[in-house]
Amino acid sequence: MSKNWEYAAGILWPVLIEAAKKETTLTYSELAPVINTNPLSVGRALGPILFYCLENRLPPLTVLIINKKTRIPGEGFIAWDIDDLDEAFKQVYEFNWNLVTNPFGGFGVNDTTESLAKTIIDDPNKAGEVYSKVKNRGVAQKIFRVALLEAYDHQCAMCKLSFDEALEAAHIIPWATCDQSQRISPKNGMLLCANHHKLFDKGRLSVMPDHKIKYLDDDFNQDNYSKSDIQTLISLDGKKIFLPQNELLTPDKELLKTRHQMNQTLESRKRNRQRDRKSKSELLTTQSLK
């Protein structure tokens, strides 16, 4: 078979789930023929499953694959303390795996995270088609991030930070409220560093339809902020984000308009809560003085 380890992971996933339900283990030699490879290469197919479980805070499913001689997982197993395997087995056996769909079940023999991301980059209109193939949120998010890394040349759209480890795929319309065709569409996303992603998600920053950044604190008082706050946040107000060279991948203006309205609502609610707390505090102070 092709050396497509994500496709192989999709084949192995139900085998591991069945072992978890039966509360048993498997060896590398037993799995090798399932994906038409040798025992030494099985770990490469287990890798995507191992990291999927880690990233999604699931029990370490790959602990069930053990060396025939040592009766413990191989050296590539990094999901759990090797000195506490009993607890790992317990968590895997007790977990309801029916709640988790096969994250790699939609991968064809030629599909990888990178190839599916390239499909979206080449034609953003195929985002819905790719999502319908994958469906799993964790895998879809990874494809979305890879696509945005490529679209934004591995740089934050707001500050141009270029450390991949700190770059995240930000949705304009959040995952929970956008439609399926928008969940991994570059037009519904921006590549942001972790700081600016968090600030955008919390409504501190908006990106307007003209792609200019808007800081949402009309009562800005410089004395209330550190120099770092001003440099990394407030100084961005009015500046244009860095856009992909391919215009087809730029953030959709209507989606930005909708998100700005959502952020304004968040800011308004925050102000109302602050005002209510202040009024309550003033009332209590007045009563205590009587």
Side-chain angles (χ1 to χ4, degrees):
M1 62 171 284
S2 171
K3 300 298 183 182
N4 182 341
W5 301 115
E6 287 173 303
Y7 173 69
I11 296 174
L12 291 185
W13 179 273
V15 179
L16 270 61
I17 297 301
E18 187 64 22
K21 291 179 179 178
K22 292 180 178 179
E23 298 190 7
T24 188
T25 58
L26 296 163
T27 66
Y28 294 89
S29 296
E30 288 173 316
L31 286 186
V34 178
I35 54 175
N36 191 26
T37 191
N38 59 73
L40 291 176
S41 294
V42 168
R44 301 178 73 176
L46 295 176
I49 297 174
L50 182 149
F51 285 107
Y52 178 82
C53 290
L54 278 173
E55 291 165 359
N56 292 276
R57 299 182 180 180
L58 294 171
L61 185 59
T62 55
V63 73
L64 300 183
I65 315 307
I66 60 174
N67 183 286
K68 190 174 183 179
K69 293 181 178 179
T70 64
R71 309 306 296 174
I72 61 174
E75 293 180 359
F77 179 74
I78 59 171
W80 201 269
D81 188 339
I82 205 74
D83 295 325
D84 189 26
L85 290 181
D86 287 345
E87 178 62 24
F89 285 120
K90 180 175 182 291
Q91 290 194 21
V92 169
Y93 292 151
E94 292 181 352
F95 187 77
N96 183 3
W97 290 102
N98 291 327
L99 299 175
V100 185
T101 58
N102 183 343
F104 307 100
F107 281 68
V109 67
N110 296 315
D111 292 330
T112 64
T113 297
E114 289 71 23
S115 71
L116 294 174
K118 187 177 186 306
T119 297
I120 298 169
I121 287 292
D122 292 342
D123 185 358
N125 292 324
K126 290 186 176 180
E129 178 184 326
V130 171
Y131 179 78
S132 67
K133 176 183 287 192
V134 178
K135 292 182 180 178
N136 181 278
R137 179 169 181 171
V139 175
Q141 292 273 36
K142 186 174 291 188
I143 293 170
F144 184 51
R145 180 176 181 270
V146 171
L148 288 179
L149 282 167
E150 178 67 22
Y152 286 84
D153 195 26
H154 295 251
Q155 297 181 94
C156 172
M158 292 189 179
C159 68
K160 280 204 166 185
L161 184 78
S162 61
F163 291 98
D164 277 8
E165 301 90 336
L167 296 174
E168 300 176 351
H171 284 88
I172 297 171
I173 303 301
W175 174 281
T177 54
C178 68
D179 62 45
Q180 290 190 3
S181 65
Q182 296 170 335
R183 285 184 168 173
I184 55 174
S185 171
K187 299 183 75 64
N188 185 39
M190 294 178 291
L191 186 69
L192 299 177
C193 67
N195 282 343
H196 288 129
H197 185 187
K198 192 73 170 181
L199 292 166
F200 178 76
D201 278 355
K202 293 299 182 181
R204 284 281 191 175
L205 293 171
S206 270
V207 177
M208 308 302 287
D210 61 1
H211 299 128
K212 288 184 179 179
I213 301 168
K214 174 68 175 175
Y215 176 59
L216 294 178
D217 185 357
D218 294 332
D219 296 332
F220 168 62
N221 181 344
Q222 187 164 319
D223 293 338
N224 295 331
Y225 297 89
S226 70
K227 289 182 180 180
S228 181
D229 293 336
I230 295 170
Q231 181 180 356
T232 62
L233 174 61
I234 300 155
S235 66
L236 296 176
D237 186 60
K239 293 183 178 179
K240 201 167 186 177
I241 64 170
F242 304 102
L243 297 171
Q245 291 185 358
N246 185 347
E247 292 183 2
L248 295 176
L249 306 176
T250 59
D252 183 270
K253 293 182 178 181
E254 287 302 314
L255 297 181
L256 289 172
K257 180 180 179 181
T258 299
R259 180 55 188 261
H260 178 60
Q261 292 169 343
M262 293 169 64
N263 285 348
Q264 284 181 312
T265 300
L266 285 173
E267 182 67 15
S268 177
R269 289 175 179 171
K270 182 180 73 174
R271 289 175 181 277
N272 288 338
R273 288 194 297 268
Q274 290 173 341
R275 185 169 56 250
D276 291 344
R277 285 196 295 267
K278 182 178 180 181
S279 296
K280 184 176 180 180
S281 177
E282 290 175 347
L283 178 61
L284 291 173
T285 300
T286 301
Q287 291 176 341
S288 66
L289 294 174
K290 290 182 179 179

